[in-house]
Amino acid sequence: MRVSIFGTGYVGLVTGTCLAEVGHDVVCVDIDQAKVDGLKRGEVSIFEPGLSPLVHTNHAAGRLQFTTDPVEAIAHAEVIFIAVGTPPEEDGSADLQYVLAVARTIGQHLDKPLLVVDKSTVPVGTADKVGATIAAELSLRGVDIDFEVVSNPEFLKEGDAVNDFMRPDRIIIGTENLEAIETMRRLYAPFVRSRERFVVMDVRSAELTKYAANAMLATKISFMNEIASIAERVGADVEMVRQGIGSDPRIGWQFIYPGAGYGGSCFPKDVQALARTAHQYGLQPRLLEAVEAVNERQKEHLFELIGRHYDDAIAGKTFAVWGLAFKPNTDDMRAAPSRRLLEQLWTAGANVRAFDPEASAEARGIFGDRGDLVLCDSEYDALKGADALVVVTEWKQFRSPDFARIAEALTDSVLFDGRNLYQPDEIEEAGIAYYGIGRGRSIAQPRCGAKE
Ligand SMILES: NC(=O)c1ccc[n+]([C@@H]2O[C@H](COP(=O)([O-])OP(=O)(O)OC[C@H]3O[C@@H](n4cnc5c(N)ncnc54)[C@H](O)[C@@H]3O)[C@@H](O)[C@H]2O)c1
């Protein structure tokens, strides 16, 4: 099938590439000239495991084209995906300007019947707005062309996006138009050969499903972070509690890891946008507001632990920071907990030596050149001249480090483990003071002072 994708970011590029991989003829269009030029040269600007080789082979085979020309993309397509960003507005609601700009462009250039697919995460009612925007442009042109707007929210995870797209848990299609359902089934048939994974519903339910999924996952994280805060105060270890509850299949193991708070481009903005929608309809979303408030508090927690250890005397100290991306296997630092921590450390007069396996370039773009930040080449390089170590992202390569080497390198021999990667006993045996999240035992007995 001939498909065009508006927006060549994480979602648009993965969608376009995976559709091309199964044989569809795909044009990806973006307004970012540099991004499109790079993709034409075979340069994939984001880090996403497995994506680059697929982009190369499909581009070389002619099934995956890149352009900045929307007219070319619209002329090409039987199906158009809208996969542009929906960032938060000041009040938390989703900013639809990019989505509606694409809708206007489609209306201005459409010359044959077409299926328009909302893949961006958009508030309930957006498919209607997209439809009305296209219709208004067609009417300005004085033409009458059939088109249909369906909702098809995306559930891929950054870091495993290609795998998620190629082997989806479910494909949500929001429309009551039988022809549109048939077209979407044909488009996705190669991804669901072994088992039926289509869930077809009305468009508003599909739009709400995406927010409900992200809000549920964010809720699990904030719940566990709140339990961690309680564990810390009562002298319990949340890791034991996690083991104790995860085996209950009604609770499950996933998304019950306490940590430094959730970040990324989706959970924070989607929880806020859903809360905003509830307010707009006269409902106070108490649970969603609490989920967000707990997360905001959690993002401050590592810094609180650091302040507790040092009696707030942090100025002039140097912190090795392991991990900057909001989670492993991505270079994405949008709303990453590391950003809050670094700002707090700098405000307190501390210096940072940071290492992330993939996000260094992103960090350089965000923070620029500054005297209190050194971006290092390895986790051990980050330890050089540092007083303490803070682990912020749970990259696999941080899981089993050489603790003797850490103990030797750190002037103050203290480790703040923002992801509970380590066993406190093992760290303490190496002569390093340990702070984790919700590990009441180590918090109850804070240790101060530099190494003798
Ligand atoms: N990133 C994720 O993990 C993820 C997962 C599921 C859903 N989503 C949702 O998908 C949407 C896209 O997210 P993303 O992370 O891919 O965003 P992104 O910021 O990485 O990419 C958006 C792209 O759209 C382009 N763009 C903006 N206006 C355009 C226009 N008029 N025409 C063509 N291109 C245009 C931008 O230049 C940018 O390259 C958002 O609504 C997001 O909430 C994201």
Side-chain angles (χ1 to χ4, degrees):
M1 292 170 76
R2 292 187 317 282
V3 182
S4 289
I5 319 259
F6 277 73
T8 313
Y10 284 88
V11 169
L13 185 58
V14 171
T15 302
T17 306
C18 292
L19 289 174
E21 174 69 9
V22 299
H24 295 304
D25 186 0
V26 179
V27 171
C28 286
V29 55
D30 204 288
I31 49 173
D32 185 335
Q33 183 77 53
K35 195 180 265 189
V36 168
D37 289 346
L39 284 163
K40 281 181 173 169
R41 289 193 302 270
E43 292 161 15
V44 177
S45 61
I46 53 173
F47 172 76
E48 188 56 55
L51 182 59
S52 230
L54 286 185
V55 170
H56 284 286
T57 47
N58 285 288
H59 184 50
R63 288 189 298 268
L64 181 63
Q65 323 266 359
F66 301 103
T67 181
T68 51
D69 181 4
V71 181
E72 183 192 323
I74 293 165
H76 168 83
E78 311 159 57
V79 179
I80 287 185
F81 278 84
I82 302 179
V84 296
T86 47
E89 299 252 39
E90 282 277 293
D91 66 357
S93 57
D95 180 353
L96 290 179
Q97 62 166 308
Y98 306 104
V99 170
L100 296 180
V102 174
R104 267 193 302 280
T105 308
I106 294 172
Q108 284 157 2
H109 301 288
L110 186 59
D111 59 0
K112 59 180 181 316
L114 186 72
L115 184 61
V116 177
V117 183
D118 271 347
K119 189 161 262 316
S120 298
T121 302
V122 287
V124 174
T126 302
D128 293 345
K129 281 189 189 158
V130 167
T133 306
I134 297 173
E137 292 296 334
L138 291 177
S139 126
L140 278 177
R141 289 165 57 199
V143 294
D144 184 16
I145 303 171
D146 251 8
F147 71 92
E148 190 66 31
V149 182
V150 312
S151 167
N152 169 223
E154 182 51 55
F155 297 94
L156 62 76
K157 304 183 280 302
E158 283 178 26
D160 204 16
V162 171
N163 197 28
D164 285 342
F165 199 95
M166 298 303 280
R167 293 172 204 79
D169 297 328
R170 75 288 208 192
I171 295 169
I172 304 285
I173 307 292
T175 181
E176 280 158 55
N177 179 305
L178 295 179
E179 217 176 301
I181 296 169
E182 194 40 46
T183 305
M184 294 303 282
R185 280 189 187 279
R186 273 202 295 135
L187 188 74
Y188 277 115
F191 302 96
V192 292
R193 291 173 69 86
S194 56
R195 179 157 77 79
E196 174 65 46
R197 281 157 211 254
F198 277 97
V199 186
V200 179
M201 57 182 77
D202 63 279
V203 70
R204 286 182 168 243
S205 301
E207 288 170 332
L208 185 55
T209 296
K210 173 65 193 175
Y211 283 102
N214 275 358
M216 179 72 199
L217 296 173
T219 301
K220 287 186 87 173
I221 295 172
S222 275
F223 171 82
M224 212 53 197
N225 282 333
E226 186 136 293
I227 296 294
S229 298
I230 296 171
E232 217 163 273
R233 280 161 182 75
V234 300
D237 183 345
V238 73
E239 286 304 315
M240 294 290 102
V241 179
R242 184 176 66 74
Q243 302 279 348
I245 64 172
S247 52
D248 181 337
R250 295 169 303 174
I251 296 174
W253 291 109
Q254 294 200 19
F255 281 78
I256 59 167
Y257 288 85
Y262 60 74
S265 69
C266 293
F267 288 2
K269 85 169 168 58
D270 291 350
V271 169
Q272 280 177 27
L274 183 57
R276 191 71 210 135
T277 298
H279 275 292
Q280 280 162 353
Y281 285 81
L283 176 77
Q284 190 182 348
R286 291 182 206 281
L287 183 59
L288 298 176
E289 285 169 356
V291 167
E292 198 200 342
V294 168
N295 194 55
E296 285 303 299
R297 186 178 69 193
Q298 198 67 18
K299 282 182 167 182
E300 317 258 307
H301 192 54
L302 267 174
F303 185 71
E304 277 166 24
L305 293 177
I306 293 168
R308 212 180 293 176
H309 179 82
Y310 282 108
D311 282 335
D312 292 328
I314 295 167
K317 292 279 176 193
T318 297
F319 291 86
V321 172
W322 285 5
L324 295 168
F326 85 92
K327 66 174 184 178
N329 292 329
T330 181
D331 58 353
D332 198 342
M333 285 183 61
R334 289 180 282 187
S338 65
R339 296 173 71 154
R340 180 81 57 88
L341 174 71
L342 264 53
E343 295 294 349
Q344 288 175 307
L345 288 172
W346 289 328
T347 304
N351 300 300
V352 172
R353 292 179 61 81
F355 169 70
D356 188 285
E358 294 297 335
S360 287
E362 190 67 18
R364 204 166 285 118
I366 293 168
F367 302 123
D369 273 341
R370 44 187 302 162
D372 46 11
L373 172 66
V374 180
L375 292 167
C376 301
D377 293 333
S378 74
E379 56 269 52
Y380 292 105
D381 182 26
L383 299 175
K384 286 181 190 153
D387 295 296
L389 169 62
V390 195
V391 180
V392 187
T393 313
E394 66 277 33
W395 284 93
K396 272 209 182 86
Q397 70 195 73
F398 300 158
R399 288 196 183 173
S400 206
D402 181 343
F403 293 120
R405 202 166 157 192
I406 295 174
E408 199 182 308
L410 296 178
T411 312
D412 295 344
S413 283
V414 55
L415 191 160
F416 302 92
D417 179 2
R419 298 290 170 184
N420 287 355
L421 291 189
Y422 311 123
Q423 292 302 331
D425 294 352
E426 202 183 342
I427 308 272
E428 283 161 0
E429 268 165 33
I432 306 171
Y434 176 84
Y435 292 81
I437 304 292
R439 312 193 96 169
R441 210 175 47 109
S442 43
I443 303 306
Q445 302 144 20
R447 287 137 207 256
C448 297
K451 205 155 55 178
E452 298 289 295

